[in-house]
Each structure stands twice: as structure tokens, then as C-alpha cells.
Amino acid sequence: MSGKKIICRCNDVTVEGVERLIDSGITDIEEIKRLLRIGMGPCQGRTCIPIVISILARKTGKRQEDIPLPKSRVPIMPVRVEVLVGGADE
Amino acid sequence: MSKIAIIGGGIIGVATAYELAKLGEEVILFEKNYFGSGSTFRCATGIRAQFTDEANIRLMKYAIERWERLEEELGAEIGFRHSGYLFLATSEEEVEAFKNNIKLQNSFGVPTRLIDMDEAKEIVPPLNTEPFLAGAWNPMDGKANPFKTLFAYLTKAKEMGVDAREHTEVVALEREGDKIIAVKFRSNGKVESVKVDALLNAANAWAPLINEMAGLSRELVPITAYKHQLVKTEPLKPGQVEPLVCPPSWNDSYLIQDGEDGGIICGSGIEHKAKSLDDYEPTYDFLRGVLKYAVQIIPAIRHAHIVRQWAGFYAKTPDKNPAIGRLLDNFYIAAGFSGHGFMMAPAVAQAMAEFMTKGKSKVPLDWEWYDPYRFERGELRSSAFQIG
């Protein structure tokens, strides 16, 4: 099998996928997020976002600290609907 | 050939840039943030012809025909599919209203029909049919991926020579008589200016600010930003809630399964006037409110996890119809989409590009209906049915 390096386990995104997108000219992390769905799975980007930022820094020559984190969304951890609406049918 | 500037890198601005390039025009496109950052990337993905007035029905019928061919035309995957819209009635009066809407839609070739709850259950297996009497079902309505669609248009536009600039804010317009002659913009802290022959304001919620730069009143096209929020569940097996499902009498609450990852997107008519044009904060009361309706429509959602919640703007005009047309000699507007910009984009972009270059268009767009000066004249249209 190929030596694909998965960096996002929620959405099966690979290092190669991120590099290909950056090479095509898309270097805004908010755009990379939406096209590859990094940070949009249940883990909210805990694993993939730091890796994507390091790839982005390497490919664009920017400093990692100059690349803004994409917005995280509430809830930070997935919450069951019944917790929010109450137990029994209303 | 002339140089045309577009302000606003959402779906309307980007698609119009593409259509203008197709007509051989030189285009420069400005987006102050990243492409899609305003309303497009926050939309619920729905595309429908089930409106309740002739102008919107005819425009959307044409738009859907363009949506069908868009993937081929742009040479990229955009995730469009005819997954349908299913509106659900909770009273006899609503069933009658549905029948009238269906008759109107059918008269323009939109194949909506009234269905019973057995058929509704076949289309949406986990649906709670008990509270509903009938459904208005149009299998030709659909959904698409807003991220992929915007980038498909953008990539093609760039290939055709469009000068697309993100993180570039327009700061002033230069006007001579009734003509805009130059656009001043700031990028990386530097202010530059470009001479233009025509200008399109596609800034949606931000459009009144651009009109003001052109020396017009912000109130000429009154657009107010209302926060429209969405909540999304973890992925579910595809096909559970493929169409957009909405009982309008339940505060316009709706559900639609994301065509990409299978999560269910839950929306509702609960709205907050945005405190500012940077106010995208989702609210907890919305989360609770929308889920209360969602579990009544699909009870099994009770056991799913909520993964994320976000907010965008309904850039609303007083009649919830967009302002599309000419404001000055060479200054045009397509803004105030009130939640319908994504679905209308293929039709509006083509119409606007043809109108700007030829003065007319073959798109069945009723220019009088969407006339941007109607608000000043106090001539509101019948309110566009606003959902999804």
C-alpha cells in the first residue's frame, strides 16, 4: 500500500492532500479547512490543525505564530442532543 | 473590452466574475477577508424552486437547470444533487396554502406535488409523521457543497484571467457625475487605486457601506444583517434526511443532511439582529431552541451528538427579496439575498454579467421585481419565503 500519511483521522486527510492544495495556490487556513474539512470533525482539529499550520509555514515561508488558528466551534466536545433538550419527549 | 471591478468575494461576486470573464471582460475582484468568508461558507447548502411568487420561482427554475450542468461546465466536483425539499403542513389551512403554491409552481414547470405521510416516510425514513397532514415535495430541488462550488467558480475565473484578490479591502470609490471611475483598496497596509469602467456591489450584508462610498445613502438599499445560525450533528448514514425537511409553521425550522459528510444540519427562524458586521458569535438559546424542533421532526436525533454550531448573516431587505440591478450609470448591485444567495448564484451571476455588458439578459430574471430603487419608492414586493 502507499505510504500516505493521515493527519486528520476524522476526515481522512493526508499530508499529500494538504500540500497539493497549497501548491494550487490556496494558502488561507480557513479555505484549506473548508476544502479538506480539517478541524471540522468531532475532534475539532486537535490533531490536524497544528500539523497543517506547520506544513503551511514550511511551504509559504511564514512563521507558524503568524498563521492564525481557524475558529473553533462550540461545543468543544460533541454533546448528545438529549443532554441539551432534556430526556423524555415533550 | 473594459475593466470591471467586483466588490465581494462570496458566491455572487465570484460567479459573476467568472461569467464576465466568459464574455471576454477584464475583471478585478475584491474580497476584504478570505473568499466565501461572509455568508456563502455559512449557508445551509439548500437549493429550491419552491417559492411562492412568480419571479423567484422562474429565477430558481432556471438556476437549477444551470446547477445541473455546472460541474461539467466548471470541470470540478461541486456536489450538486436533486435531493428535494419536503415542506410539511400541520393544519388544513396550510394544506390549502401548499395546494395554491404547488399550482403556481406547476404553472412555471416546477414539478412540486402534494404527498401523504406514507410517501413522506419513504423519502425520509426516520420522520415523525404524526404531527403532519401532508407534504409539498419537489424532487428537483436540491443541495450542493458551498465550499467546492465557490472554489470551482474561482479557479475557473482565475484561469480565464480574473484578477481575484483576497484580504484586500475597498476603502473608497471615486465618482464623477453618475459614474464610478476608480476603486481605492488596501492590501498589506498599502493603499492603491485602479481605474474602472464599471463596478458591481456584491457585498451582501456589507453592501450599504459600499453604496455609501459611492455617494449614495445607506438606506437606498436597506439591508440589515440578521444572525442565522446552524447546528450540525455527527455523520449519519446517507439517505436518512436527504431532502431539506421543513414544517414552516414550526418557526421555519428545518433539517438537511450534509451531502458531504452526512451530518444533519439543523436550522430555524430564530434570529438575532447582529450587534455589528463582525458579530458571528453563535448563541446558546439558539442551540436549545433549534433542537427542540429538530427532535420533534426526527425523534432519533435525540441520540446523536452535536458536533458544531456556527452563525452567518441573512442579509435581509424589507421584503426578503434581493436588490439586483443598476444604481448609477456604471454602478450595479446584486446584494441583500436574505439567505438565498447561494441557490440563486448561477442564474443571478449570468444575468448580471449579461446585463452589465449587453444591457439585457436571456436569464428569466424579472428586473422590475428585484429593482434596487423599489425601497426608495416604497414599493415592496411580496415577501420571499425565507428558508434554507
Side-chain angles (χ1 to χ4, degrees):
Chain A
M1 292 299 283
S2 70
K4 277 185 186 163
K5 284 173 279 200
I6 302 274
I7 59 164
C8 160
R9 288 171 294 185
C10 301
N11 288 307
D12 281 349
V13 180
T14 62
V15 171
E16 294 80 2
V18 175
E19 289 183 336
R20 216 177 303 127
L21 197 62
I22 296 171
D23 288 340
S24 80
I26 290 168
T27 56
D28 191 299
I29 192 153
E30 293 281 358
E31 294 170 1
I32 295 173
K33 165 182 154 180
R34 288 172 171 86
L35 283 169
L36 296 179
R37 308 188 85 84
I38 53 147
M40 292 172 77
C43 95
Q44 289 273 16
R46 280 177 179 75
T47 316
C48 58
I49 298 284
I51 303 176
V52 171
I53 286 180
S54 70
I55 299 171
L56 202 51
R58 171 164 55 78
K59 305 248 337 158
T60 61
K62 279 189 189 160
R63 298 189 315 166
Q64 291 198 21
E65 48 273 38
D66 291 340
I67 298 170
L69 283 171
K71 188 151 176 63
S72 28
R73 302 287 184 199
V74 286
I76 296 302
M77 305 284 266
V79 180
R80 256 182 199 267
V81 170
E82 60 197 342
V83 173
L84 294 158
V85 294
D89 289 321
E90 285 160 46
Chain B
M1 193 170 80
S2 50
K3 187 162 196 143
I4 300 178
I6 299 175
I7 304 175
I11 192 73
I12 296 291
V14 171
T16 308
Y18 159 77
E19 294 287 349
L20 283 166
K22 224 166 79 175
L23 295 173
E25 299 298 327
E26 187 186 349
V27 183
I28 183 164
L29 168 68
F30 297 102
E31 166 54 49
K32 71 177 164 59
N33 202 340
Y34 57 91
F35 290 114
S37 58
S39 298
T40 305
F41 282 1
R42 295 155 198 279
C43 85
T45 76
I47 295 163
R48 72 180 146 101
Q50 287 196 65
F51 275 84
T52 53
D53 59 86
E54 175 177 345
N56 284 305
I57 294 169
R58 291 184 67 214
L59 182 71
M60 276 313 302
K61 180 171 185 288
Y62 185 85
I64 290 172
E65 286 160 15
R66 292 252 10 223
W67 273 107
E68 288 168 356
R69 301 189 306 267
L70 213 50
E71 206 156 273
E72 195 184 1
E73 178 175 337
L74 299 175
E77 190 203 326
I78 59 166
F80 173 76
R81 66 179 82 148
H82 290 292
S83 43
Y85 263 58
L86 174 60
F87 288 105
L88 296 164
T90 55
S91 66
E92 287 301 342
E93 295 77 54
E94 228 180 339
V95 176
E96 282 312 304
F98 278 17
K99 283 182 185 163
N100 287 331
N101 295 339
I102 288 170
K103 218 157 108 189
L104 185 67
Q105 289 158 15
N106 289 170
S107 72
F108 297 108
V110 174
T112 315
R113 58 193 175 83
L114 200 72
I115 62 170
D116 62 20
M117 282 303 107
D118 288 340
E119 194 172 351
K121 188 93 180 157
E122 278 171 35
I123 296 164
V124 182
L127 180 70
N128 173 23
T129 54
E130 204 214 330
F132 308 118
L133 302 176
W137 168 240
N138 177 16
M140 297 305 278
D141 289 341
K143 60 188 166 197
N145 180 317
F147 313 141
K148 288 184 174 171
T149 304
L150 185 130
F151 279 101
Y153 268 121
L154 185 64
T155 307
K156 202 78 182 168
K158 283 181 180 168
E159 276 172 28
M160 294 168 84
V162 169
D163 181 2
R165 306 193 180 200
E166 58 184 337
H167 301 290
T168 304
E169 186 175 10
V170 169
V171 291
L173 300 174
E174 224 175 292
R175 179 173 156 183
E176 239 177 51
D178 273 347
K179 274 193 151 160
I180 303 294
I181 55 162
V183 175
K184 256 193 196 145
F185 56 95
R186 182 170 45 223
S187 172
N188 289 323
K190 222 172 86 193
V191 176
E192 292 172 70
S193 179
V194 61
K195 290 245 173 285
V196 299
D197 300 298
L199 176 67
L200 170 65
N201 179 356
N204 213 26
W206 293 263
L209 308 178
I210 306 299
N211 285 348
E212 195 174 38
M213 286 182 200
L216 302 168
S217 154
R218 277 194 202 190
E219 288 310 307
L220 176 65
V221 181
I223 296 172
T224 313
Y226 284 90
K227 238 190 251 185
H228 183 69
Q229 302 180 53
L230 295 170
V231 168
K232 190 171 173 184
T233 71
E234 63 194 318
L236 303 188
K237 188 177 150 198
Q240 299 303 295
V241 194
E242 269 295 316
L244 186 140
V245 181
C246 170
S249 63
W250 289 5
N251 201 13
D252 289 337
S253 299
Y254 62 91
L255 304 174
I256 184 170
Q257 194 162 20
D258 188 310
E260 205 68 21
D261 69 5
I264 294 184
I265 299 171
C266 314
S268 180
I270 307 161
E271 284 182 345
H272 301 268
K273 195 168 167 187
K275 292 191 196 97
S276 71
L277 290 170
D278 302 311
D279 176 17
Y280 281 125
E281 256 345 279
T283 61
Y284 186 63
D285 69 315
F286 178 86
L287 179 64
R288 305 244 329 183
V290 72
L291 293 176
K292 214 177 79 191
Y293 289 112
V295 297
Q296 288 178 66
I297 303 168
I298 311 273
I301 283 189
R302 191 177 283 284
H303 310 296
H305 285 90
I306 291 301
V307 178
R308 54 207 290 108
Q309 180 189 0
W310 68 94
F313 291 147
Y314 269 177
K316 264 196 196 180
T317 64
D319 56 18
K320 301 181 194 173
N321 286 286
I324 305 171
R326 189 200 302 266
L327 288 173
L328 295 171
D329 266 7
N330 67 344
F331 179 44
Y332 302 81
I333 187 167
F337 280 87
S338 310
H340 306 132
F342 178 62
M343 62 175 80
M344 289 178 171
V348 171
Q350 183 193 341
M352 185 44 83
E354 288 172 354
F355 184 63
M356 286 176 85
T357 52
K358 300 171 190 161
K360 59 183 171 38
S361 166
K362 51 182 178 292
V363 177
L365 186 145
D366 184 338
W367 297 93
E368 190 143 334
W369 179 269
Y370 299 109
D371 179 4
Y373 278 100
R374 69 183 183 273
F375 309 105
E376 192 182 55
R377 294 196 304 264
E379 272 176 30
L380 294 194
R381 307 302 178 221
S382 62
S383 188
F385 181 41
Q386 186 188 41
I387 190 81

